[in-house]
Amino acid sequence: MFQSSHRRLAVSATLIAALAAGLAPATSAFAAPLTPAATASGAVPAPDMAGVVAALDSAMTNGAPGAMARFTGPDGVRSRTVGVRDRVSGAPMDIHARFRIGSVSKTFSSVVLLQLVEEGRLELDAPVNRYLPGLLPDERITVRHLLTHRSGLADYTDAMFNDTVPGFEAVRNRVFSYQELVDLSLSEPRTTEPGVAYKYSNANFVVVGMLIEKLTGRPVSDAYERRILKPLKLTSTSYVHPDTRIKGLHVRGYLHPDAAGDPLVDSTEQTVSWAQSAGAVISSPADLNTFTSALMRGLLLSPAMLEAMTTVTPTDATNTRFYGLGLRRYDLSCGTRVFGHTGTVQGFYTYAFSTRDGRRSLSAMANTSNHGEANTALGGTLEAAFCGKKQAANSRAAASPTARDFSSLPAERDLPERH
């Protein structure tokens, strides 16, 4: 059994402090090895910050009141903001502001569960019902199936948000139990046999939250705090369910109604109880950079467990998008692979990704949702940040006939979308 995660992180405190400052740690017992591409002189392109701004501006053109991105790399931190974080006051977007990160929360939940696997408290390929007796109607559904979205459990949000604004208003202030959310999923036909195919479902990570609470005997918020937030000093990150507020400096989120031309709905205050461990975390660009970098550097999981987490299967036929254990991998046009997650919650789109060595990371946010073009546009920050200027990216990709410009692909959807 591996030593407990909080003890391991305490030993690595100086390394994490260096990471938070944007510096590369010299060594670590659990640090991911640097790849030749990451260390070779001139192999890593400089981020195209003009391209990042163009992507942010495009998100605004496609309906977002504002957007921002923060990139960290060997040369330090670069950030850009456009538009407003509050349409009423006109306050400009602020790179230090907090916001709802939606399904990026799934990676936080996955880290906690994988730490529990390391501690011998559950097994990835064991049936979920071993730990939560009688919860699921199929004994074949394993813990791994949850983390890889291959359980076949229906996504209850499809029906919940079939009518976007009325669906949201019906749950804005509601507090669900985990069991109620699982029951909503089980009331729908299952989407696939266990393990057969990838089918994204928020229900999977509701069950992950149940597992965490059953095995620790504590709320999932406590697990986040002790195992991730405090060790990494993520002071702007919190899980406040079922409080509806975002405390301190924050971005207001705006939901697009289904009918074109109807006014945006301020969706900032809500319980996010409909998501909980699948999507209720609040964070900031700097904290997301620190989190994804620390994860990829091996500061949260052992090398073997991180290898398992980053072992992926395709989510579509583009040969660019994959899913591991609560973690997406995107293959960009320049050949760079980035790991992290996308997030959608009413009023916010988020991207949080790092290279496999953890030396470069990007977080980006636009304060709208239910408008897929804005989400796709925001995804363009990845190509610009990690591949650099287009001409450089194209010359490197020329040797690979399968390379595609990731930003030309429609964004993957974490929630139902009407536009």
Side-chain angles (χ1 to χ4, degrees):
M1 183 189 306
F2 295 103
Q3 62 181 311
S4 68
S5 60
H6 60 276
R7 287 184 60 195
R8 180 168 69 240
L9 287 168
V11 172
S12 301
T14 56
L15 298 173
I16 296 170
L19 174 64
L23 303 175
T27 59
S28 170
F30 294 100
L34 300 183
T35 61
T39 56
S41 177
V44 176
D48 175 15
M49 297 311 293
V52 168
V53 171
L56 300 179
D57 284 340
S58 182
M60 284 188 61
T61 299
N62 284 285
M68 61 179 166
R70 185 180 189 272
F71 176 82
T72 64
D75 295 329
V77 176
R78 307 185 191 193
S79 60
R80 298 291 188 272
T81 63
V82 299
V84 298
R85 61 180 177 86
D86 186 326
R87 296 178 71 226
V88 174
S89 71
M93 187 59 71
D94 191 315
I95 201 65
H96 303 291
R98 306 170 71 224
F99 52 90
R100 301 191 185 278
I101 66 173
S103 288
V104 180
S105 307
K106 291 179 171 66
T107 305
F108 285 77
S109 296
S110 295
V111 167
V112 171
L113 200 67
L114 293 175
Q115 288 178 354
L116 293 172
V117 172
E118 290 184 332
E119 294 163 16
R121 301 169 77 172
L122 80 164
E123 298 176 10
L124 275 174
D125 294 309
V128 171
N129 282 358
R130 176 187 296 180
Y131 309 104
L132 298 168
L135 178 70
L136 302 180
D138 194 328
E139 294 290 334
R140 297 173 297 167
I141 298 175
T142 68
V143 175
R144 189 187 300 272
H145 291 151
L146 300 176
L147 295 176
T148 57
H149 291 292
R150 301 175 82 85
S151 70
L153 295 175
D155 193 341
Y156 57 86
T157 65
D158 290 343
M160 183 178 285
F161 301 125
N162 183 57
D163 294 316
T164 300
V165 173
F168 166 66
E169 295 294 359
V171 301
R172 181 199 280 263
N173 295 304
R174 186 169 172 181
V175 178
F176 290 91
S177 69
Y178 282 127
Q179 186 65 58
E180 286 177 304
L181 297 176
V182 171
D183 289 345
L184 287 173
S185 172
L186 295 181
S187 70
E188 301 286 338
R190 279 186 278 161
T191 58
T192 181
E193 292 294 306
V196 171
Y198 169 89
K199 184 65 174 178
Y200 191 90
S201 174
N202 286 284
N204 291 315
F205 280 80
V206 168
V207 180
V208 167
M210 297 178 77
L211 285 168
I212 291 170
E213 295 196 352
K214 177 66 177 292
L215 294 168
T216 64
R218 299 284 298 165
V220 71
S221 57
D222 181 72
Y224 291 150
E225 187 73 22
R226 291 190 301 106
R227 293 171 174 270
I228 302 174
L229 308 188
K230 284 187 176 178
L232 295 183
K233 296 180 173 60
L234 303 184
T235 57
S236 293
T237 304
S238 58
Y239 178 86
V240 295
H241 173 265
D243 195 342
T244 62
R245 298 167 296 168
I246 304 178
K247 295 180 180 178
L249 179 69
H250 63 274
V251 180
R252 302 201 69 83
Y254 298 95
L255 175 63
H256 277 265
D258 292 340
D262 280 0
L264 299 180
V265 174
D266 187 325
S267 51
T268 311
E269 278 80 35
Q270 62 159 309
T271 63
V272 200
S273 192
W274 60 265
Q276 299 189 49
S277 50
V281 173
I282 295 165
S283 193
S284 69
D287 275 11
L288 290 177
N289 288 155
T290 298
F291 171 64
T292 57
S293 291
L295 176 58
M296 289 297 104
R297 290 178 186 233
L299 296 176
L300 292 170
L301 298 171
S302 71
M305 193 57 69
L306 185 56
E307 179 66 22
M309 190 182 200
T310 56
T311 298
V312 297
T313 57
T315 61
D316 58 24
T318 65
N319 202 37
T320 62
R321 305 197 284 208
F322 306 84
Y323 208 90
L325 301 179
L327 195 70
R328 294 195 188 279
R329 189 187 89 191
Y330 287 156
D331 292 1
L332 306 180
S333 65
C334 56
T336 295
R337 292 175 172 176
V338 293
F339 296 81
H341 216 289
T342 53
T344 302
V345 64
Q346 288 86 359
F348 302 94
Y349 288 130
T350 303
Y351 286 76
F353 286 83
S354 285
T355 52
R356 179 60 181 83
D357 58 21
R359 291 172 62 86
R360 294 183 289 157
S361 64
L362 176 88
S363 55
M365 186 280 304
N367 58 342
T368 197
S369 68
N370 197 37
H371 210 275
E373 292 88 347
N375 195 7
T376 298
L378 187 67
T381 58
L382 295 174
E383 284 278 335
F386 292 109
C387 290
K389 292 189 179 297
K390 283 291 184 184
Q391 59 267 29
N394 290 339
S395 65
R396 282 191 301 276
S400 175
T402 61
R404 297 184 61 174
D405 185 340
F406 176 84
S407 60
S408 68
L409 300 172
E412 292 186 286
R413 297 194 304 173
D414 297 326
L415 278 182
E417 300 252 293
R418 296 294 170 264
H419 297 291

